[in-house]
Amino acid sequence: MSDSPTPRRPFLGRLPLPERKFLADALRAETVGGILLLGAAVVALVWANAWPAAYRSVLDTTVGPSSPLHLDLPLDAWAKDGLLAVFFFVAGIELKRELVAGELRDPRAAALPVVAAVCGVAVPAAVYAIVNSGPGGHPAGWAIPTATDIAFALGVLAVVGSHLPSALRAFLLTLAVVDDLIAILIIAIFYSSGVKLWALGLSLLGLVLFYALHRMRVRGWYLYVPLAVVVWALMHESGIHATVAGVAMGLLLRCTKDPGEEHSPAEHIEHLVRPFSAGFCVPVFALFAAGVSVSPRALGEVFTQASPLGVVLGLVVGKCLGIFGGTWLAARFTRAELNPDLEWGDLFAVSVLAGIGFTVSLLIAELAFADDHGLSERDKAAVLAGSVICAVVAAVLLRGRNRTYRKLREEELAEEQAVAV
């Protein structure tokens, strides 16, 4: 007699307790980082508009050695190439863990957030391309509105006091993890140029050494940190965007536990590095990237010129339609049953929240129009405008359901306390 199949957890159903605890730990640092990110963005806007010469002077300050690997970079380049490599390192660890032990481990459970992420990239890109298809358009910026910023989104949730249940937070996190993977592929393929094969080859050899040492269970931060810096520097020299090195090293870490280990190396390192990434690297990047003009003329250009308008519509309309529409269609195709405690309107609100595309969108805006500072600045202003619109609309939608969310969170906490006793 064959065993009965394992019951399928409903879509957005309550997570198992171990997964819920890991999620809470992971998102706690991101939430604090999100609040710091919001603060850094505000400081950048005030600084750049009140004292623009001083702001630009700091950004253009060059630091670092000119030889042998041309690391004499301005501070804003250190922020986007260096600090964001740490951010993508954590994203690589998150992706590896999701593939080994998280939602992406089970193809059935992974289908919906993966489809949501892919559609949440494709539809905003299509919206931008349509807006910029005519005369005066700038199709090179198609990737700007494709990213979701999990830290900014969680910061908004913290500010508005939403008690979003763990299942919705897990969906948002998994969506953002896949989104980050797509973003790094886009950056590596479409926004890298003049590749130096010798530097790329040495960087790949460094990654092989990193992997070999890790698999041989060699321990010692004094080995891995210098090696990571060398791999990053060689990747930067190669012409491939340096953040690729970060995500590659994150993916190479082991997410399974050996006998006697309380945590896997990936979980342990993520626990150490995530606060630095969320609390320092991303806010400092925002401080150097978000300082754009917010004069009436500049804001008018955001909504009248093709490229920035495409960014705003891509984030506000494209992200929402892509994520919600893709998830709804995938659920119908796979016959997934929605958690009876939630409604499709809850997923719609989260889809709007996912339109906050701050960190990676700002990075791509700089890469897409590196030779046109004015257009890059307008597109970054559009990223800010679109993200703020999504944050406000999502906050209103989520606050309307906060009583239901609070009840679900109380049930989760009661379950956790019962297990602890």
Side-chain angles (χ1 to χ4, degrees):
M1 183 175 180
S2 61
D3 295 333
S4 59
T6 303
R8 184 177 181 181
R9 179 163 55 89
F11 175 50
L12 299 180
R14 186 173 297 176
L15 298 175
L17 189 57
E19 182 72 13
R20 206 184 311 159
K21 288 182 176 180
F22 179 87
L23 179 73
D25 292 339
L27 296 184
R28 191 174 295 114
E30 292 286 2
T31 301
V32 174
I35 296 173
L36 293 174
L37 177 62
L38 293 173
V42 171
V43 171
L45 288 170
V46 172
W47 188 3
N49 286 273
W51 304 280
Y55 182 74
R56 177 50 53 184
S57 176
V58 171
L59 264 60
D60 292 339
T61 300
T62 299
V63 177
S66 59
S67 61
L69 296 177
H70 305 97
L71 294 178
D72 49 338
L73 306 173
L75 289 180
D76 65 335
W78 277 109
K80 68 183 179 185
D81 292 346
L83 295 182
L84 284 193
V86 179
F87 165 80
F88 276 108
F89 174 69
V90 175
I93 297 176
E94 289 175 340
L95 177 61
K96 181 68 172 291
R97 187 196 169 277
E98 288 292 324
L99 290 169
V100 172
E103 288 290 293
L104 300 181
R105 179 184 75 257
D106 181 358
R108 295 181 304 172
L112 268 63
V114 169
V115 169
V118 172
C119 293
V121 169
V123 177
V127 169
Y128 180 96
I130 291 170
V131 174
N132 285 267
S133 60
H138 298 275
W142 62 271
I144 298 172
T146 60
T148 292
D149 194 308
I150 184 66
F152 202 140
L154 293 172
V156 170
L157 292 178
V159 170
V160 302
S162 174
H163 298 271
L164 206 63
S166 60
L168 284 171
R169 290 176 182 262
F171 177 82
L172 184 61
L173 176 62
T174 305
L175 172 76
V177 168
V178 179
D179 192 289
D180 285 339
L181 174 63
I182 297 174
I184 201 66
L185 291 174
I186 289 173
I187 290 170
I189 296 170
F190 297 100
Y191 296 109
S192 297
S193 60
V195 176
K196 298 178 182 177
L197 294 180
W198 69 267
L200 179 60
L202 290 176
S203 181
L204 294 177
L205 284 176
L207 288 172
V208 171
L209 178 59
F210 182 95
Y211 176 80
L213 291 173
H214 188 58
R215 289 295 162 177
M216 289 188 294
R217 304 322 194 242
V218 177
R219 300 180 183 273
W221 64 267
Y222 47 85
L223 293 175
Y224 290 101
V225 172
L227 178 58
V229 172
V230 171
V231 168
W232 171 87
L234 287 167
M235 189 70 73
H236 180 273
E237 180 70 12
S238 75
I240 302 294
H241 200 269
T243 52
V244 174
V247 76
M249 286 183 280
L251 287 170
L252 292 177
L253 292 179
R254 177 167 55 87
C255 287
T256 56
K257 293 185 290 187
D258 284 343
E261 287 185 336
E262 185 177 356
H263 302 287
S264 70
E267 289 176 325
H268 176 68
I269 294 170
E270 182 182 13
H271 179 74
L272 295 176
V273 178
R274 182 186 289 275
F276 176 65
S277 171
F280 178 78
C281 296
V282 175
V284 171
F285 168 77
L287 181 65
F288 289 156
V292 297
S293 174
V294 290
S295 66
R297 177 183 176 182
L299 291 177
E301 291 174 345
V302 166
F303 295 98
T304 56
Q305 295 188 3
S307 185
L309 179 60
V311 172
V312 172
L313 292 178
L315 290 173
V316 176
V317 178
K319 270 289 185 181
C320 176
L321 290 181
I323 293 172
F324 180 78
T327 306
W328 188 85
L329 290 174
R332 290 292 178 267
F333 181 77
T334 60
R335 298 182 181 179
E337 296 182 2
L338 182 68
N339 180 356
D341 293 326
L342 297 172
E343 300 175 357
W344 281 106
D346 299 314
L347 182 66
F348 181 80
V350 171
S351 301
V352 175
L353 187 67
I356 298 174
F358 192 77
T359 304
V360 178
S361 291
L362 292 177
L363 172 63
I364 295 177
E366 292 194 355
L367 297 176
F369 301 112
D371 298 328
D372 191 335
H373 179 72
L375 183 55
S376 175
E377 291 296 292
R378 288 192 293 275
D379 280 354
K380 289 199 289 184
V383 170
L384 295 176
S387 297
V388 168
I389 292 171
C390 289
V392 171
V393 174
V396 172
L397 295 175
L398 293 170
R399 288 289 292 177
R401 290 274 291 167
N402 219 23
R403 181 176 298 178
T404 299
Y405 298 155
R406 184 182 293 109
K407 178 176 178 294
L408 294 175
R409 285 292 294 150
E410 289 173 351
E411 291 176 357
E412 290 176 353
L413 291 173
E415 180 184 344
E416 293 171 11
Q417 292 173 355
V419 172
V421 172

